[in-house]
Amino acid sequence: MSTEARDTIYIGKKPLMAYVTSTLIQLTSLPAVSIKARGLSIGHAVDVAQIISRKTGSAGYSIGSITIGSESLESKDGKARNVSTIDIEVKRNTS
């Protein structure tokens, strides 16, 4: 379980650059990092992946596989809701 925690960045409500920095730090020691988000945070996950691949393209990072799906969650009123999810792989390019 600790391996998954180190190579996965969960997107929440922090500022965008906090996730970019965290992902770049993880990529210094790992070949790939998974950026995961659900619901309204999906846009932020896409932004983080794009910033890393475009702004640091000369550093050799690119977007790998992208997985979308949905999870069933129970809302506060007790009803089941489907929430969209995304998993974006950002990886170091091998030279």
Side-chain angles (χ1 to χ4, degrees):
M1 175 140 162
S2 64
T3 303
E4 181 184 356
R6 286 186 294 158
D7 67 357
T8 304
I9 305 293
Y10 294 98
I11 304 297
K13 298 183 183 203
K14 291 181 185 175
L16 192 65
M17 290 310 289
Y19 298 110
V20 171
T21 304
S22 180
T23 304
L24 288 172
I25 289 170
Q26 294 301 322
L27 282 168
T28 60
S29 60
L30 298 170
V33 174
S34 178
I35 300 171
K36 294 186 177 189
R38 64 182 182 193
L40 297 175
S41 297
I42 289 175
H44 288 294
V46 172
D47 291 342
V48 169
Q50 288 295 310
I51 288 170
I52 292 170
S53 69
R54 289 189 179 174
K55 301 294 183 188
T56 63
S58 60
Y61 301 116
S62 63
I63 296 174
S65 64
I66 300 172
T67 307
I68 58 172
S70 63
E71 293 179 1
S72 182
L73 298 176
E74 188 174 320
S75 63
K76 292 179 183 178
D77 60 359
K79 295 182 181 179
R81 298 181 51 211
N82 288 330
V83 178
S84 299
T85 61
I86 192 166
D87 183 358
I88 306 170
E89 178 189 41
V90 177
K91 58 187 178 178
R92 269 188 285 163
N93 296 335
T94 56
S95 352

